[in-house]
Amino acid sequence: GQQVMQIPQYQHVQEGEDFTTYCNSSTTLSNIQWYKQRPGGHPVFLIQLVKSGEVKKQKRLTFQFGEAKKNSSLHITATQTTDVGTYFCAGAESYIPTFGRGTSLIVHP
Amino acid sequence: DAGVTQSPTHLIKTRGQQVTLRCSPKSGHDTVSWYQQALGQGPQFIFQYYEEEERQRGNFPDRFSGHQFPNYSSELNVNALLLGDSALYLCASSRRGVLQPQHFGDGTRLSIL
């Protein structure tokens, strides 16, 4: 079945440093979504990518979808303490979304 | 504009019992999906309901069943509970369509003793 791998599992950064999490699928995806889950909270939708090679930006966040539609990345520039949380990618081969294990971002002030 | 609401917030059951969890979708949404999230893991898709029918199902046994009502609210039922069913159960709603953005509720924390 479809597998979505996400690395790294944890990332510690100093406030102001950059952060990147990577998502890789075993199969070609229809689209990919990114979510953020704060400690003790629920996943919150960030963005959806559909087209091959697509790049989208949200303020300090940059999202990319690979040319082969099998990988994606989220990059945060100049992290802030408010960026703390676990970032999940969710890819779909058919109509069933598969979430990665997530990357937990810890920002040290 | 109320978001996705789930009840109860916490539940403690013993092995072999049955449980029912409830979800009301965000206003304007007609599709409800259920997920199981174990500690330190990503949400795992259980199933999705639209027009009161199960449309998609993940890799979960038949002990997991659901229902959607005419007002789009939904229930998740789990029979013959196992210790491994202990998890956070998340409900997510969306508009109908190919993989629309999902809005999650706060979840129900289920503990099996």
Side-chain angles (χ1 to χ4, degrees), chain B residues 40-95:
Chain B
Q41 303 292 323
Q44 276 197 290
F45 179 80
I46 302 175
F47 42 54
Q48 182 182 83
Y49 276 83
Y50 171 69
E51 289 187 337
E52 302 179 49
E53 288 192 18
E54 182 183 296
R55 301 293 179 172
Q56 304 290 337
R57 188 178 184 93
N59 190 25
F60 278 81
D62 292 344
R63 297 187 297 110
F64 290 77
S65 63
H67 190 78
Q68 186 180 34
F69 300 94
N71 66 352
Y72 309 122
S73 67
S74 177
E75 289 182 349
L76 164 65
N77 300 292
V78 187
N79 294 323
L81 287 166
L82 304 173
L83 292 177
D85 294 332
S86 294
L88 179 66
Y89 287 85
L90 293 163
C91 170
S93 72
S94 62
R95 299 178 195 275

Side-chain angles (χ1 to χ4, degrees), chain A residues 30-31 33 35 37 42-43 45 48 88 92 94-97 99-101, chain B residues 35 37 40-43 45 56-57 90 98-102 104-106:
Chain A
S30 303
N31 68 5
Q33 297 174 345
Y35 292 82
Q37 186 172 23
H42 58 265
F45 175 79
Q48 176 169 283
F88 292 99
S94 56
Y95 290 91
I96 297 177
F99 277 72
R101 192 173 177 175
Chain B
Y35 292 83
Q37 186 175 26
Q41 303 292 323
F45 179 80
Q56 304 290 337
R57 188 178 184 93
L90 293 163
V98 178
L99 300 167
Q100 293 295 313
Q102 298 186 82
F104 284 83
D106 289 334

Side-chain angles (χ1 to χ4, degrees), chain A residues 6 21 32-38 42-48 61 63 74 85-91 97-100 102-103, chain B residues 35 43 92-94 99-104:
Chain A
Q6 211 174 332
T21 173
I32 195 156
Q33 297 174 345
W34 285 90
Y35 292 82
K36 177 183 178 182
Q37 186 172 23
R38 294 181 185 274
H42 58 265
V44 174
F45 175 79
L46 294 176
I47 209 158
Q48 176 169 283
L61 278 61
F63 303 83
L74 158 59
T86 300
Y87 293 84
F88 292 99
C89 63
T98 300
F99 277 72
T103 296
Chain B
Y35 292 83
S93 72
S94 62
L99 300 167
Q100 293 295 313
Q102 298 186 82
H103 294 252
F104 284 83

Side-chain angles (χ1 to χ4, degrees), chain A residues 19-68:
Chain A
F19 160 79
T20 304
T21 173
Y22 300 91
C23 183
N24 293 288
S25 170
S26 57
T27 58
T28 302
L29 301 171
S30 303
N31 68 5
I32 195 156
Q33 297 174 345
W34 285 90
Y35 292 82
K36 177 183 178 182
Q37 186 172 23
R38 294 181 185 274
H42 58 265
V44 174
F45 175 79
L46 294 176
I47 209 158
Q48 176 169 283
L49 304 171
V50 179
K51 299 176 183 177
S52 169
E54 190 169 14
V55 178
K56 287 188 176 181
K57 293 190 176 184
Q58 288 181 350
K59 297 182 180 178
R60 295 179 294 105
L61 278 61
T62 301
F63 303 83
Q64 292 189 327
F65 201 8
E67 293 290 342

